[in-house]
Amino acid sequence: MWVKTQRTRVDYLIFALLCMLIFLIGSTIVMKLVKSDGKNVVDEKTTDVETIEVFNYDKDVIENIDKFFLKILSNSNSSMSLFFKQKIKNKEDISFSIMENIPENFNIDDYIKSQFPAAFTFLEKEKGISIKGFENKKRPEILEDIVFIDDMMEKEEGELLEEEKLTEKDKEGIPKAEGIKTFKANKNEPYIAIYHTHGTEAYLPIKQNQYHTQDKKYNVLTIGEIIEKKLESNGHKVLHIETFHDIPSYNKSYAKSLNTINAKMKEQQNLKVVFDVHRDGVSENASYKNKALSQSKIKIDGKDVATFSIVIGPESPNKDEVLKFAKYIKQVSDTMYPGLCKGIIIKPKGKFNQFVSDHYALIEVGSNLNTIDEAKESAKVIGEILSIVIENLQE
């Protein structure tokens, strides 16, 4: 009974569409036949006002297919009608070529879909039928249109994990990976993924848009690229995803980045380790700004290097494994570059997509208080640290 009813609705819908099309064509032809023989229509009582038909030509409209369709466009859409009226009013030469005279940004798919919105909605939502050729086109994403608002989960300071005693060290003085899951991967294909949930997060001198920019030279994409190159120079295979997930919707960043990383890990099942590279954000009126500034960098070989931290989402089902991974990264960092890692921060809530892998780390490299050069120097040493961590966890 249900199937029969649905089929009947579709039949009626198709029939209605055909009727509307026939009506549209018929009205166009009738209007042409009943109009005057091409002369301008002038009110008898006025001599200074002239009304000009939009399509005023002598030959039969069917003889010129361009004229025919332009007539339909004009009669069925007020903005198109205004467009052609304006052209004639300005005495512009109209060749009646559709491609030459319709506006640049006019999209025929969107236009047709807009004329029958109920029909397309029914077919797509109720029947699950996608009308090929009429899908919504992706519009350009413009950074200037975005108002950046701090991610509320990230903005909450969270709990700084207390320092723990280092585990036993190996011959080189690096802590051994104890109680942490190892992984096995094909070393000839990428097994490390680096991506950015908030790819537009930027460093000084960028201050506009609340320290966000699409200019790669100043944002975290460059930081991810440096970490990628350092890992690859040590023999690791890396996939760096340079997608801006925080455009155009900043509050949907994690949903978009989750779709990306899930798709990549499904496509490339050799990916085992995931790093989501961010930078921290400190507001101008933050009560802890002075403290944050004092902890924003350290000296390594005479250079200013931005500090980093690791963020944990307490609601992630694999929180314990992710936390072990984070602790090991910090232990290696503390051994190689004391003070570089500010600590592990457990937020009050959130998952931060960490459930996609037990070897997952959300790393905040510096903050908006750091310059891009300080962040770059940090990326170099972080790459060294992560390289050792991964080597010690590979089977």
Side-chain angles (χ1 to χ4, degrees):
M1 180 67 180
W2 181 85
V3 175
K4 183 177 180 180
T5 303
Q6 293 298 310
R7 287 180 177 173
T8 302
R9 291 177 65 184
V10 173
D11 292 340
Y12 279 127
L13 184 59
I14 294 173
F15 179 72
L17 288 172
L18 290 173
C19 288
M20 292 177 69
L21 183 59
I22 293 171
F23 173 78
L24 194 59
I25 296 173
S27 63
T28 301
I29 296 174
V30 170
M31 287 178 64
K32 176 60 184 174
L33 293 175
V34 300
K35 286 186 182 293
S36 62
D37 59 356
K39 295 180 180 181
N40 296 337
V41 180
V42 182
D43 192 336
E44 295 178 356
K45 295 181 181 181
T46 60
T47 58
D48 58 339
V49 179
E50 184 179 42
T51 305
I52 303 175
E53 294 182 27
V54 177
F55 294 95
N56 192 3
Y57 41 81
D58 296 324
K59 293 183 179 181
D60 193 291
V61 70
I62 303 298
E63 292 179 1
N64 189 321
I65 194 66
D66 279 338
K67 293 179 182 179
F68 173 67
F69 283 111
L70 284 173
K71 182 76 172 179
I72 293 177
L73 288 174
S74 180
N75 287 345
S76 62
N77 185 279
S78 59
S79 61
M80 293 297 291
S81 177
L82 179 63
F83 172 75
F84 291 112
K85 281 182 180 179
Q86 189 65 35
K87 280 215 155 195
I88 292 181
K89 181 179 179 181
N90 294 337
K91 298 182 179 180
E92 296 181 29
D93 179 30
I94 299 182
S95 64
F96 293 104
S97 170
I98 292 178
M99 296 308 297
E100 291 179 8
N101 286 284
I102 60 177
E104 293 182 351
N105 59 350
F106 177 74
N107 184 288
I108 189 65
D109 293 350
D110 292 343
Y111 172 78
I112 294 176
K113 192 168 183 178
S114 70
Q115 302 306 304
F116 310 103
F120 281 92
T121 300
F122 172 77
L123 290 174
E124 291 174 357
K125 291 187 177 180
E126 299 293 330
K127 299 296 295 176
I129 301 173
S130 177
I131 310 300
K132 187 176 181 181
F134 296 100
E135 294 89 352
N136 288 329
K137 301 294 186 295
K138 187 177 181 180
R139 298 290 184 245
E141 299 171 331
I142 304 174
L143 182 64
E144 287 71 22
D145 288 345
I146 307 171
V147 176
F148 285 100
I149 302 173
D150 289 331
D151 188 294
M152 294 310 296
M153 289 188 295
E154 287 188 9
K155 191 174 181 181
E156 296 186 64
E157 291 187 34
E159 177 188 352
L160 185 64
L161 200 66
E162 294 183 5
E163 296 290 334
E164 294 186 0
K165 293 182 179 181
L166 295 178
T167 59
E168 184 181 349
K169 297 181 180 181
D170 60 19
K171 294 179 181 180
E172 285 74 30
I174 301 297
K176 291 183 178 180
E178 297 179 349
I180 308 173
K181 283 185 178 180
T182 58
F183 67 90
K184 187 175 182 180
N186 182 350
K187 295 185 179 182
N188 296 318
E189 297 177 3
Y191 49 88
I192 303 168
I194 298 174
Y195 77 125
H196 310 272
T197 295
H198 297 150
T200 63
E201 289 178 331
Y203 301 88
L204 296 173
I206 299 299
K207 290 186 177 181
Q208 63 266 28
N209 291 321
Q210 297 186 29
Y211 303 93
H212 288 80
T213 183
Q214 284 179 287
D215 190 341
K216 182 180 174 180
K217 293 186 297 183
Y218 299 103
N219 64 34
V220 294
L221 265 64
T222 284
I223 305 308
E225 184 177 66
I226 294 173
I227 295 175
E228 171 197 11
K229 290 180 179 178
K230 179 60 69 173
L231 288 169
E232 288 182 338
S233 69
N234 288 322
H236 299 290
K237 297 292 184 180
V238 184
L239 171 67
H240 184 204
I241 304 167
E242 298 187 354
T243 301
F244 289 115
H245 296 102
D246 47 351
I247 298 176
S249 176
Y250 197 69
N251 63 355
K252 294 180 181 178
S253 303
Y254 277 101
K256 290 178 67 177
S257 66
L258 177 60
N259 288 337
T260 295
I261 195 62
N262 273 339
K264 289 296 182 182
M265 295 185 77
K266 183 177 181 180
E267 176 186 323
Q268 302 182 43
Q269 297 185 12
N270 196 53
L271 293 172
K272 306 296 181 182
V273 183
V274 181
F275 297 118
D276 188 2
V277 179
H278 295 242
R279 67 121 174 90
D280 195 6
V282 180
S283 60
E284 293 294 334
N285 59 352
S287 59
Y288 57 91
K289 185 175 180 180
N290 290 335
K291 180 181 178 182
L293 190 59
S294 66
Q295 297 177 341
S296 64
K297 57 189 175 183
I298 65 170
K299 288 281 187 180
I300 298 178
D301 296 331
K303 297 180 180 179
D304 287 331
V305 179
T307 54
F308 77 95
S309 57
I310 306 171
V311 175
I312 302 294
E315 297 175 333
S316 186
N318 61 339
K319 173 196 168 185
D320 292 341
E321 295 302 326
V322 172
L323 184 56
K324 290 177 184 178
F325 185 52
K327 286 180 179 179
Y328 187 55
I329 294 173
K330 186 177 187 306
Q331 287 173 352
V332 174
S333 178
D334 289 344
T335 301
M336 297 177 65
Y337 302 101
L340 179 63
C341 182
K342 293 190 297 183
I344 299 170
I345 301 171
I346 302 179
K347 295 292 185 178
K349 58 184 177 180
K351 297 179 181 178
F352 305 114
N353 299 346
Q354 296 174 344
F355 47 84
V356 302
S357 172
D358 289 338
H359 300 98
Y360 187 113
L362 192 163
I363 302 175
E364 293 185 331
V365 181
S367 72
N368 55 303
L369 302 176
N370 291 105
T371 66
I372 185 63
D373 290 334
E374 292 167 352
K376 285 180 177 179
E377 291 298 325
S378 182
K380 295 175 185 176
V381 293
I382 290 173
E384 292 180 17
I385 293 165
L386 297 180
S387 179
I388 292 173
V389 168
I390 294 169
E391 285 174 7
N392 291 346
L393 294 178
Q394 280 182 298
E395 293 181 7

